[in-house]
Amino acid sequence: MARTSIKDIARAAGVSHSTVSRALRDDPRISPEVVQRIRSLARDMSYSPSVVARSLVTRRTRTIGVVVTTISDPFVSAVVDGIEEEATANDHAVILVMSRSDPEHELEAVRLLSERRVDGIIVSASRVGNYEERLVRLQVPIVLLNNQSESSYIYSINVDDVRGAHMATDHLLELGHRHIAYIGCPDRPRSHRRREQGFRMALGERGMVPGLSQVVADEGIGDDAERGKLGMRRLLGVEDRPTAVFCYNDVTAIGALNETRRWGLAVPGDVSLVGFDDVREASLVSPALTTVNQPRESMGRQAVEMLLRLLAGESVGDRVILPRLVIRQSSGPPKSSG
């Protein structure tokens, strides 16, 4: 069955196709009675506007490209939910591409999306610096979410990693822990460095030096759960093992939790654990994870809102979102303090 066109509606209404086009756009030159009659005909004839034809006129495709590391990441899935929700509410479609945490793949994904004439691009956990230069060449707005490159970028939305890590570490200190370790993630240099900074700051404010209390898992490990297992294995293998561990994210913490159990130790009885992100799985494991909440869906919605403002020619700037601590059952006082 052929698709209904504006010309079909024009023939049925006995008007020109330009009148139909104007009526569907609520052009004030067309009377309300004609607009109502044409819109009623369009509904009865199951008319839907051609995105291709509309884009030729407006030079907009009403499409947003999204580049993520991998859709298997629980953090990413919630961010994409927020992006799709806000994009749909503003009559925009979303094209999703994976970068596989590789800078070259990310650049290629951004290039391909720009060639497909998306109106703007959102990149999650970018590994690429100097986006300003690429923006000029591609002539498409790019918003970065939780940028992992060391360069600054004005169109970005980031959580305050330093403050979040500080809150997590301070929580363990308040419980009475004095031998606290950090299992990090050098593969994500910016957030890893800032979370380590917050960890060190909290200890320093209590007159403590991290020293042997800090363990960073190997950079070459791609799986966060395996990273958590390896980090915990190293920590539990030393004579003066820590009584609490702050982990780069929740998946790392879940890996550390599984390794702790494999050693026959209890959480939080023998070791307290704190994660970062507050993904859905953090509340489902036993014991449920104490963690630092990132408003992931809100970050996705804000990225779309920022992109739409850029497309409208408005001025925008970098946003830093404050996290919050969610205390659950994986953290408690050390045995020595009862």
Side-chain angles (χ1 to χ4, degrees):
M1 182 177 179
R3 179 172 179 164
T4 301
S5 68
I6 283 180
K7 290 183 179 181
D8 295 327
I9 299 173
R11 279 193 293 268
V15 298
S16 67
H17 71 271
S18 60
T19 298
V20 174
S21 178
R22 289 168 181 161
L24 293 176
R25 297 199 309 270
D26 287 325
D27 192 308
R29 289 175 289 182
I30 309 301
S31 69
E33 294 78 13
V34 174
V35 169
Q36 184 177 357
R37 181 161 63 91
I38 288 176
R39 286 189 175 277
S40 178
L41 277 171
R43 285 193 300 271
D44 293 343
M45 299 173 69
S46 301
Y47 168 77
S48 60
S50 168
V51 174
V52 174
R54 184 171 58 183
S55 67
L56 291 174
V57 176
T58 64
R59 303 182 68 83
R60 295 278 177 83
T61 60
R62 304 192 75 80
T63 304
I64 295 173
V66 179
V67 182
V68 300
T69 52
T70 171
I71 57 174
S72 63
D73 186 334
F75 176 86
V76 167
S77 62
V79 169
V80 171
D81 283 345
I83 290 173
E84 288 192 322
E85 179 182 320
E86 188 68 16
T88 301
N90 287 276
D91 193 28
H92 281 67
V94 173
I95 300 176
L96 189 66
V97 184
M98 290 189 295
S99 69
R100 304 172 190 170
S101 302
D102 182 280
E104 292 303 318
H105 275 98
E106 182 182 322
L107 284 174
E108 182 65 12
V110 169
R111 186 186 65 80
L112 288 173
L113 287 171
S114 66
E115 285 182 355
R116 279 154 180 75
R117 297 294 187 267
V118 296
D119 294 336
I121 300 172
I122 298 170
V123 183
S124 176
S126 171
R127 266 69 166 176
V128 179
N130 300 320
Y131 257 111
E132 292 87 350
E133 298 175 8
R134 289 162 177 80
L135 177 62
V136 171
R137 289 203 301 269
L138 297 174
Q139 296 183 326
V140 58
I142 299 174
V143 172
L144 305 185
L145 264 174
N146 275 359
N147 182 23
Q148 293 302 318
S149 76
E150 295 296 338
S151 66
S152 60
Y153 187 69
I154 193 170
Y155 308 141
S156 65
I157 297 174
N158 297 287
V159 74
D160 192 335
D161 288 300
V162 175
R163 184 163 183 173
H166 188 287
M167 288 191 298
T169 309
D170 200 54
H171 165 66
L172 294 171
L173 290 166
E174 288 289 335
L175 289 171
H177 294 279
R178 293 297 178 266
H179 192 177
I180 306 171
Y182 167 58
I183 299 177
C185 181
D187 289 353
R188 299 159 180 114
R190 183 181 183 277
S191 54
H192 162 74
R193 175 177 54 81
R194 292 176 63 81
R195 290 175 195 181
E196 179 184 341
Q197 180 184 347
F199 168 75
R200 289 177 175 273
M201 283 175 58
L203 292 175
E205 289 169 5
R206 305 282 181 125
M208 300 171 60
V209 179
L212 295 177
S213 292
Q214 184 197 13
V215 168
V216 178
D218 289 342
E219 184 173 350
I221 299 174
D223 183 88
D224 287 343
E226 287 300 319
R227 193 190 313 272
K229 289 180 182 178
L230 173 61
M232 203 66 188
R233 192 177 308 145
R234 291 176 175 175
L235 289 169
L236 297 178
V238 300
E239 184 176 350
D240 187 20
R241 63 175 55 151
T243 61
V245 179
F246 166 53
C247 298
Y248 171 81
N249 62 18
D250 291 336
V251 179
T252 304
I254 291 171
L257 171 64
N258 291 334
E259 184 64 19
T260 304
R261 283 179 173 161
R262 197 178 71 83
W263 283 61
L265 300 175
V267 175
D270 296 302
V271 182
S272 285
L273 289 174
V274 178
F276 203 110
D277 286 346
D278 196 20
V279 299
R280 181 172 179 269
E281 289 78 1
S283 64
L284 300 178
V285 295
S286 181
L289 277 177
T290 294
T291 186
V292 178
N293 173 274
Q294 293 196 71
R296 294 159 293 148
E297 291 88 349
S298 175
M299 292 172 72
R301 289 193 294 270
Q302 289 187 53
V304 174
E305 185 263 334
M306 181 181 284
L307 204 56
L308 294 178
R309 287 184 60 190
L310 283 169
L311 290 169
E314 298 179 27
S315 177
V316 303
D318 178 58
R319 295 183 190 176
V320 178
I321 299 175
L322 297 179
R324 64 183 178 89
L325 183 68
V326 179
I327 300 174
R328 297 195 181 101
Q329 292 75 49
S330 69
S331 58
K335 281 184 175 181
S336 59
S337 63

